[in-house]
Amino acid sequence: QKNKEKHNIQKMSDDPDACLPAPLKDFVFDLHDSARRSMIENEQGALYNGTFRELSSKYFATSAWPSEDAISSECGGDHLFLALYNELTHRHLHSVSRIQLRDRLNGWRVYTDLFDRLIAEPNKDELCIIPVWAFDIMHEFVYQFQGFCQFRTNEKKKEDDLAQMSANKDAWTIEKVMYYLYKLIEISSDENASSAYKNLGVFAVVALSRLECLLADYNECLSAVSTLESRGAMEIVDSVLPAKISLVYHVAVAYLMLRRYKDAANALEEICVELQRGLKTGQLRSHLAGTDQSQFFKQFDRMLALLAILTHISPAGVAIESSGRDSIGYMIRDKFGAQLLKIEGGEEGYEDLFAYACPKFIDPAIPDYSKPLPPNLNQETYNIQIRHFMNEMAQQQSLRKLRSYMKLYSSIGTDKLAAFNDCANASEFSSRLLSLKHKMSQKEGPYGNFVSALDIHYYVVGDKVHIDEYRQQRRFGSAFLGQIAQCEEIAKELESIVIESK
C-alpha cells in the first residue's frame, strides 16, 4: 500500500493531470463550496491555511498543481472559481520552482483573467474570500510585478527572452497594474459591496501603498493609506499579520524619506513591540505556522534597522524603551550596535544599514529591447534612492556635531561654537544654525502639523547662542507592559512547578 501511494505521488509530480487522488478532489469541491455556496469563512480558512498546504507538501512539493481542465468537473465549470484556483496554484508554483520568463508572462495572464472576471462578475454577493486569501492575492500581484520590472531591465537576458519580451510589451505594464488596483478599490467602496470585495479592496489599498513606495512616490504611498483610515478598514488589515507588517514597513520607509522621523519611529516601534511580545509569549505561532518564517524574521530585522537609523537621526522624536534584555532598544543595540558605533565615530555606516533595510525600488518604464541595455539598469532606481538618502545623512552629520556641542552649554558665543565646528565664516555658521532648525522641523500626525524633532531648544541673541534643554515627556506605557509580561512569565513558571507530596 505504501509503495502504491509513493508511486501515485511520483506520478502526480511528473504529470499532475494524470490521476487525481480523492483528497485533492475533495479539497477542490469543498473550497468551491466555501467560496460560492455555503460561504462559511471558518471552513474556508481551514481549507486555505491547512488542507492546501498539506496537499502541496505531499503531492506537489516541487511541481505544479493539476490544470484547471483536470479539476473543472469538481466545481461545475465555475469560471470565476477556476480563475481563483489558477491564481492559487500559480502562486504555489512561483514559490517552489525556478521561475522562467514563460512563467512570468503566464502569471500576467492568470491575474488579468482573475481581475477581469472579478470586475465583470454579475453576482458579486455570491462569493466568499477570507481576508488572508484576499491579501495573498493582492500581495503576490505586486510582488510578481516587482520581479518582472527587475527582470526586464536586466541586461543579461537571452535572445529568446528578448524576442518574447518584445512580443509581450503589454504584459505587466504599470498602467494596467494601477488600473486593476484602483478598480477593485472603487468596487469595494460601495456600501453594498460583499465581504469578499471589501477584503479585496482593502488589501488592494495595502498593495497600492507598497507599490507607490517601490516607485519612490512616498506622498502617494501615504495618501493611499489615508483612505484605509477614512473607510474604517484597519480592523481588516489588523486581522492579517503579514498585511499589517507590510503596511507599516512601507509607510515607515515613506515617512523616513520624507523626513517625518517621529511618525516613522512611532509606527515601527508599535509593530516591533507587538511582534517581540508575540514571539516571547508564543502568540505568533498560529500566524507563522506553515509559512516561510525566515522571511518574517528578515522583515522584522529590517524594521529594527530602520529604527536604529531613526534613533540616531532624531533622538528627541524617538523615545524607545531600552531597559531590559527583551526591550526593542536592547535588540537594536544587539543587532546593529557595531554600525551605530561606526557612525558615531565619524565613519560611514548609514549606507549599509539603509541598503539592508530599504525595499528593492523599481523602475516601471519599459526599455527599448532593440538596443543593448545599460549595465545594472535594474539597480538604477534602487541606487538613486540610496544616494538620495546618503546625501541627506551627509548633511545631518555636520549638524549632529553642532547639536552635540550645544548640549554641553546653556549659552555660548557664536564665535566659540563656530570654532568647535571648524567654521571660520560667521555668516556661514549662522546658516548652519538655521539649517539645523530646518532639518529637524518635520510634519507629524494625520494633519501634518510642523513640530521640532530636536532634543534642545536654542535661539540667538546678539553674538550668543542660548540653549534650553528639551524636557522629554516620559512614557510609562511600555514600562508597565514590560512588567506585566514579566509577571505573566513568572506566573507560568510557578504553575509549571510540581510539588511532590511527602
Side-chain angles (χ1 to χ4, degrees):
Q1 182 68 25
K2 286 184 178 180
N3 290 334
K4 185 178 179 180
E5 185 177 357
K6 287 181 179 179
H7 174 72
N8 288 337
I9 292 174
Q10 182 60 44
K11 193 173 181 182
M12 286 288 293
S13 298
D14 296 338
D15 184 5
D17 295 349
C19 59
L20 299 181
L24 192 147
K25 292 181 180 179
D26 292 341
F27 166 75
V28 174
F29 181 87
D30 292 341
L31 187 64
H32 175 254
D33 180 75
S34 71
R36 300 291 273 170
R37 289 192 291 267
S38 70
M39 294 193 284
I40 300 175
E41 291 195 356
N42 289 340
E43 291 183 1
Q44 189 176 99
L47 291 164
Y48 181 80
N49 294 316
T51 309
F52 178 72
R53 290 170 180 168
E54 292 167 6
L55 292 174
S56 296
S57 177
K58 185 174 183 179
Y59 295 107
F60 313 106
T62 59
S63 61
W65 270 62
S67 67
E68 62 176 294
D69 294 333
I71 58 94
S72 179
S73 60
E74 301 301 326
C75 63
D78 186 334
H79 293 296
L80 178 55
F81 177 79
L82 289 173
L84 286 166
Y85 172 84
N86 278 340
E87 191 281 331
L88 178 62
T89 54
H90 171 75
R91 184 165 14 110
H92 162 75
L93 180 64
H94 211 277
S95 66
V96 300
S97 63
R98 187 180 179 87
I99 299 302
Q100 305 295 327
L101 176 58
R102 65 176 181 275
D103 300 312
R104 299 180 188 275
L105 295 174
N106 183 54
W108 175 245
R109 288 187 284 270
V110 166
Y111 281 104
T112 53
D113 178 56
L114 172 59
F115 293 148
D116 286 339
R117 292 187 184 280
L118 283 169
I119 293 168
E121 172 62 27
N123 302 314
K124 289 182 170 60
D125 291 336
E126 299 176 6
L127 178 65
C128 174
I129 300 177
I130 56 175
V132 65
W133 190 359
F135 168 71
D136 287 343
I137 290 172
M138 306 314 303
H139 186 77
E140 185 73 13
F141 178 54
V142 173
Y143 172 75
Q144 292 198 21
F145 171 68
Q146 179 186 11
F148 193 82
C149 287
Q150 292 170 337
F151 177 81
R152 69 183 169 198
T153 52
N154 189 335
E155 74 276 9
K156 299 177 182 178
K157 287 193 292 291
K158 300 176 183 177
E159 290 296 328
D160 292 344
D161 289 344
L162 289 171
Q164 286 190 67
M165 299 281 279
S166 299
N168 292 275
K169 286 187 176 181
D170 59 339
W172 294 109
T173 59
I174 184 64
E175 295 84 3
K176 288 293 287 183
V177 170
M178 288 284 194
Y179 164 75
Y180 285 125
L181 292 175
Y182 277 108
K183 191 65 179 176
L184 289 171
I185 294 169
E186 178 188 342
I187 294 172
S188 71
S189 62
D190 189 336
E191 291 183 2
N192 300 318
S194 66
S195 62
Y197 281 87
K198 283 184 179 177
N199 290 337
L200 287 166
V202 166
F203 294 115
V205 174
V206 175
L208 179 62
S209 70
R210 177 189 176 196
L211 177 57
E212 296 288 10
C213 181
L214 294 175
L215 297 173
D217 194 343
Y218 304 115
N219 283 307
E220 282 302 311
C221 172
L222 300 180
S223 178
V225 176
S226 66
T227 64
L228 282 178
E229 296 168 350
S230 62
R231 292 167 58 184
M234 287 307 297
E235 286 186 13
I236 299 176
V237 176
D238 291 344
S239 69
V240 182
L241 182 62
K244 186 176 181 180
I245 292 173
S246 174
L247 183 67
V248 172
Y249 169 73
H250 290 97
V251 164
V253 171
Y255 278 141
L256 173 62
M257 299 302 281
L258 293 172
R259 293 197 293 114
R260 294 178 64 172
Y261 304 132
K262 284 187 176 182
D263 286 335
N266 290 338
L268 286 169
E269 184 185 5
E270 183 179 347
I271 188 70
C272 286
V273 168
E274 180 183 338
L275 295 178
Q276 188 268 344
R277 190 180 300 124
L279 289 171
K280 185 179 177 183
T281 60
Q283 294 176 346
L284 289 183
R285 288 173 187 168
S286 59
H287 294 282
L288 299 177
T291 63
D292 186 357
Q293 296 189 20
S294 64
Q295 288 298 316
F296 166 80
F297 287 108
K298 187 175 182 180
Q299 190 74 326
F300 188 23
D301 284 350
R302 283 175 173 169
M303 292 191 290
L304 289 175
L306 288 176
L307 268 177
I309 293 171
L310 289 162
T311 55
H312 214 257
I313 298 174
S314 178
V318 186
I320 294 175
E321 176 64 31
S322 59
S323 60
R325 292 180 61 85
D326 297 321
S327 68
I328 295 300
Y330 180 88
M331 294 178 70
I332 290 173
R333 291 195 304 274
D334 182 52
K335 290 179 178 292
F336 306 107
Q339 289 96 320
L340 293 176
L341 283 174
K342 284 172 62 179
I343 295 170
E344 289 172 3
E347 300 179 39
E348 293 183 0
Y350 279 128
E351 185 169 357
D352 292 340
L353 269 178
F354 185 71
Y356 172 73
C358 72
K360 298 298 182 286
F361 300 101
I362 54 174
D363 181 358
I366 300 173
D368 185 354
Y369 299 117
S370 64
K371 299 178 181 178
L373 296 180
N376 300 320
L377 181 62
N378 58 337
Q379 295 289 319
E380 184 175 353
T381 305
Y382 174 72
N383 292 331
I384 287 173
Q385 293 306 305
I386 290 179
R387 287 198 299 271
H388 171 67
F389 175 77
M390 290 307 298
N391 287 338
E392 180 66 28
M393 293 303 100
Q395 297 174 40
Q396 291 274 358
Q397 187 172 3
S398 61
L399 298 178
R400 191 166 58 251
K401 181 181 177 183
L402 171 61
R403 169 187 150 271
S404 66
Y405 277 117
M406 284 198 290
K407 289 191 72 175
L408 300 175
Y409 296 88
S410 57
S411 65
I412 183 174
T414 52
D415 292 343
K416 184 177 180 180
L417 189 57
F420 285 158
N421 288 271
D422 304 320
C423 184
N425 190 311
S427 61
E428 180 184 337
F429 186 68
S430 298
S431 299
R432 196 174 296 186
L433 287 170
L434 290 172
S435 179
L436 178 59
K437 285 271 191 182
H438 170 70
K439 288 292 184 183
M440 289 294 104
S441 178
Q442 58 189 243
K443 289 182 178 180
E444 183 181 0
Y447 302 107
N449 298 323
F450 276 93
V451 297
S452 175
L454 275 170
D455 54 353
I456 56 173
H457 169 65
Y458 66 92
Y459 56 96
V460 181
V461 178
D463 60 351
K464 278 192 177 295
V465 181
H466 299 270
I467 304 105
D468 294 329
E469 187 173 356
Y470 173 77
R471 296 191 65 180
Q472 219 171 39
Q473 183 179 357
R474 297 184 64 186
R475 300 195 299 176
F476 301 101
S478 56
F480 279 118
L481 289 173
Q483 292 299 319
I484 290 170
Q486 288 181 20
C487 288
E488 288 177 350
E489 267 193 28
I490 294 170
K492 287 180 182 178
E493 290 177 4
L494 290 174
E495 289 173 2
S496 64
I497 297 174
V498 178
I499 300 175
E500 296 181 356
S501 57
K502 294 183 179 179

